[in-house]
Amino acid sequence: MAATKRHRNISGVLKFASCTLLSSTSVVSQVAKSDGDYKFDGAILHYSEKDRVQVLEPVFAYRKYKQFDEFVEYKVTIDTMTGSSPNGATPSNVDQTFTGASGQSGYSVAAGETPMRDFSDTRIALNIMTEAPLSIETRRSTGYAFSYEQDYGALGYNTTYLKDTNDKHTTLAAGVGVSLDLVFPSGGTPEPLTNINDPSNQNSGDEDGEEEGEGGEGLDGKFKGTFDVLFGITQILNRYALMQLNYSHSFVRGYLTDPYKVVSVVDSITGEPALTPTTTNGIYLTEKRPDSRDTNVVYWKSVVNIFGDVLRLSYRYFWDDWGIKSNTIDATYRFDIGDKFYIEPHYRYYTQTAADFYRHSIRNNEPLPDYVSADYRLAEFDGETIGIKIGADLDTTSKFAVRLEQYTQTGNSYPADAVGIQQNYNLYPPLEATIIQISYSKFF
Amino acid sequence: MIILDTVVLMFFFLLTITGCSIQTVQPWERDILAQDKMQLVPDPLENALDEHIYFSKEAASGGQGVGGGGCGCN
């Protein structure tokens, strides 16, 4: 029985070696894949931010092969998130209260602390992916995606055509993807650029002013649509190296505002919160982003075998019409230790410029901007990931790996345009996250 | 900044089209390229998890394929 399986594997490897197909999206395996074979992949990720978000995310994938280059894969992801994230308001020298627009429950933050909003949610996602040959030189991969969480739902479809040319030294890829998303903000969709502490705005979320329950209730979700196109080329350089270059463009339309983020309005001289009339609470405006965004990405990757070890290096340049430009460099180097084990250090460097409408706060003596967001993710910042993975190829059909990584973000903590007491506080508190992942893969 | 970006892009473009001297690799010479560890994405689950993390924490995303996203990430 074992000999039969081994024979099948060896024959598959030989068949595979003579029919190697490079793909920009699919993964080919050194283990044979033949009719009736299937593969199980499982991973558990624990993502933990210091004093902020905690995420536990198990993923399971089952892939069934019809033949060595044709399969269907089902993947389930469960994403459990708890903790708090910055709500956009700046720290101050006084306690800050956020009573919440449109029926959201209020909360207070002590003086000197970065205002955070607690949240808890579970996301369930199902992905189905198929890949099948269309001819000797062409094949197609297709994906269907569904995801749901308390305040967000998404349906997606994508398809990519791949064509081998140049004696299968070159693979051309062209793909499109569509995602239809609905946002159901907890407490209803807030009217943009309104003061959440203004009593006249309470329980008046959305344009029609109807009351909202928790996320997901009613049919007033806000729509967001994404259309992606991608063109790519993968080239074998020699027996030890290959390279990929992709260009992709995304058209995003609809509700792109974060319903939970606010922007502090501060006194133009003291920097203290400007007060909501007839109250002792500050003025915090709900943010507003444009309802369209076009993004572009040039992505380059190279994989090089160096005396059995593997260097994987990628660079990504991103730019969009919100004024964001970003550079990302990612490098891993896999050191093989004997036949079974390996150690793989990982380094990633990310940097982005701010969106045109990003403001850490606005002053009470300036006109209201058309668009504004204090979301730290739209600010100028650098991100750095340092990690290591230890893995074992237990036998020809099963693999195990553990990785530990540290992700940090650092931004402009003391911007030049901070006024008054703002200059005493860190307006971009660094984010520190630890990533632990355990993964197992078994080919049957 | 724009000039620097253009130079970087040109560098990678030239590197790609010249291919660091592209050599013919016969089918029977593709044993190394066929190894799992030599794939562009050797671990799709890990790749998807990373994409999700960075999608929810950074303004830039994508590049490796079409689709993805689909969360109201905080």
Side-chain angles (χ1 to χ4, degrees):
Chain A
M1 183 68 184
T4 305
K5 182 78 174 178
R6 182 175 174 75
H7 172 76
R8 193 170 66 176
N9 286 349
I10 292 170
S11 67
V13 169
L14 291 173
K15 181 169 63 173
F16 179 77
S18 61
C19 304
T20 298
L21 301 171
L22 269 179
S23 162
S24 62
T25 55
S26 68
V27 175
V28 286
S29 166
Q30 69 188 117
V31 179
K33 305 174 183 68
S34 54
D35 186 21
D37 287 338
Y38 59 96
K39 185 183 174 197
F40 167 82
D41 279 296
I44 295 180
L45 174 89
H46 184 247
Y47 172 89
S48 172
E49 293 178 357
K50 189 179 177 185
D51 302 325
R52 295 195 198 176
V53 179
Q54 309 290 317
V55 178
L56 189 64
E57 190 167 354
V59 189
F60 304 98
Y62 167 81
R63 179 180 290 196
K64 176 86 171 66
Y65 287 93
K66 291 185 74 174
Q67 53 186 18
F68 82 100
D69 60 350
E70 183 174 357
F71 64 83
V72 57
E73 179 179 284
Y74 305 90
K75 186 172 77 171
V76 177
T77 307
I78 300 168
D79 201 359
T80 309
M81 302 158 277
T82 56
S84 57
S85 61
N87 71 355
T90 51
S92 188
N93 60 340
V94 295
D95 292 354
Q96 301 190 82
T97 298
F98 306 90
T99 53
S102 55
Q104 290 181 39
S105 56
Y107 53 99
S108 294
V109 175
E113 292 188 4
T114 300
M116 299 274 188
R117 175 184 178 276
D118 292 339
F119 74 98
S120 173
D121 209 344
T122 300
R123 185 177 74 102
I124 297 173
L126 173 66
N127 293 77
I128 301 172
M129 187 175 90
T130 65
E131 184 167 317
L134 299 174
S135 69
I136 293 175
E137 292 186 330
T138 59
R139 61 195 181 281
R140 176 188 180 191
S141 70
T142 304
Y144 305 88
F146 165 80
S147 92
Y148 179 78
E149 57 198 285
Q150 190 179 15
D151 56 1
Y152 203 94
L155 277 176
Y157 169 81
N158 63 77
T159 186
T160 303
Y161 284 89
L162 301 149
K163 178 176 173 58
D164 298 318
T165 65
N166 190 22
D167 280 338
K168 294 184 177 173
H169 287 73
T170 307
T171 302
L172 304 173
V176 295
V178 179
S179 183
L180 307 174
D181 302 6
L182 280 176
V183 190
F184 302 97
S186 172
T189 309
E191 188 72 21
L193 300 178
T194 57
N195 179 9
I196 62 168
N197 281 340
D198 186 342
S200 63
N201 289 330
Q202 308 298 311
N203 300 315
S204 62
D206 220 336
E207 289 81 352
D208 53 9
E210 64 184 43
E211 286 192 18
E212 308 298 334
E214 287 297 300
E217 286 190 10
L219 294 173
D220 69 333
K222 293 294 183 183
F223 174 75
K224 171 184 160 187
T226 305
F227 181 71
D228 299 322
V229 292
L230 177 140
F231 301 98
I233 179 170
T234 302
Q235 177 68 46
I236 289 177
L237 301 179
N238 53 50
R239 199 179 166 193
Y240 306 97
L242 57 98
M243 197 177 270
Q244 180 186 45
L245 184 68
N246 289 343
Y247 167 76
S248 58
H249 187 96
S250 287
F251 304 86
V252 193
R253 299 290 183 272
Y255 186 75
L256 308 184
T257 294
D258 188 323
Y260 307 120
K261 301 292 187 202
V262 297
V263 184
S264 291
V265 177
V266 300
D267 185 277
S268 60
I269 297 170
T270 67
E272 295 179 352
L275 293 182
T276 303
T278 72
T279 77
T280 56
N281 296 328
I283 299 175
Y284 307 99
L285 301 180
T286 51
E287 66 156 50
K288 183 181 182 185
R289 306 182 190 187
D291 57 7
S292 78
R293 185 185 187 194
D294 288 357
T295 69
N296 302 275
V297 178
V298 174
Y299 179 83
W300 171 88
K301 180 187 266 187
S302 182
V303 185
V304 184
N305 190 297
I306 303 172
F307 302 114
D309 297 334
V310 179
L311 170 68
R312 185 170 278 99
L313 184 65
S314 71
Y315 168 76
R316 180 182 67 183
Y317 181 64
F318 171 101
W319 72 101
D320 69 8
D321 60 353
W322 283 5
I324 295 168
K325 293 188 176 74
S326 159
N327 292 279
T328 310
I329 295 171
D330 193 297
T332 61
Y333 193 92
R334 171 176 161 146
F335 295 96
D336 277 4
I337 302 171
D339 291 336
K340 287 188 175 180
F341 299 96
Y342 66 90
I343 295 178
E344 188 175 275
H346 175 214
Y347 179 76
R348 178 181 186 270
Y349 178 75
Y350 173 89
T351 183
Q352 73 173 49
T353 61
D356 296 333
F357 52 87
Y358 171 80
R359 297 283 302 275
H360 56 73
S361 59
I362 55 181
R363 301 173 194 176
N364 63 349
N365 65 343
E366 63 176 297
L368 212 54
D370 292 335
Y371 302 107
V372 64
S373 173
D375 188 340
Y376 70 97
R377 294 170 295 189
L378 298 178
E380 177 183 1
F381 71 85
D382 299 336
E384 197 172 32
T385 306
I386 297 173
I388 191 159
K389 180 159 78 172
I390 298 172
D393 296 341
L394 301 172
D395 51 48
T396 56
T397 62
S398 58
K399 298 175 182 181
F400 175 80
V402 179
R403 70 166 169 143
L404 174 65
E405 302 199 321
Q406 185 82 25
Y407 174 59
T408 55
Q409 279 185 4
T410 49
N412 191 357
S413 296
Y414 298 94
D417 61 347
V419 293
I421 58 103
Q422 285 188 315
Q423 297 168 14
N424 303 328
Y425 296 103
N426 187 342
L427 299 187
Y428 195 101
L431 180 148
E432 294 177 21
T434 302
I435 298 164
I436 300 172
Q437 184 190 318
I438 300 172
S439 53
Y440 178 74
S441 172
K442 175 75 175 171
F443 182 77
F444 295 91
Chain B
M1 185 65 184
I2 291 173
I3 293 173
L4 178 66
D5 293 340
T6 307
V7 169
V8 169
L9 278 175
M10 285 298 293
F11 169 75
F12 285 114
F13 178 70
L14 289 172
L15 200 64
T16 301
I17 60 170
T18 57
C20 303
S21 70
I22 295 170
Q23 299 171 6
T24 299
V25 184
Q26 301 294 347
W28 56 87
E29 295 176 325
R30 298 192 179 187
D31 53 338
I32 291 170
L33 292 170
Q35 292 173 353
D36 274 359
K37 64 183 181 183
M38 284 296 291
Q39 302 314 302
L40 286 164
V41 183
D43 188 338
L45 286 196
E46 180 180 310
N47 197 59
L49 288 167
D50 271 353
E51 291 247 301
H52 185 62
I53 289 172
Y54 296 122
F55 173 81
S56 65
K57 295 292 160 191
E58 298 170 347
S61 63
Q64 297 190 60
V66 287
C71 77
C73 306
N74 287 288

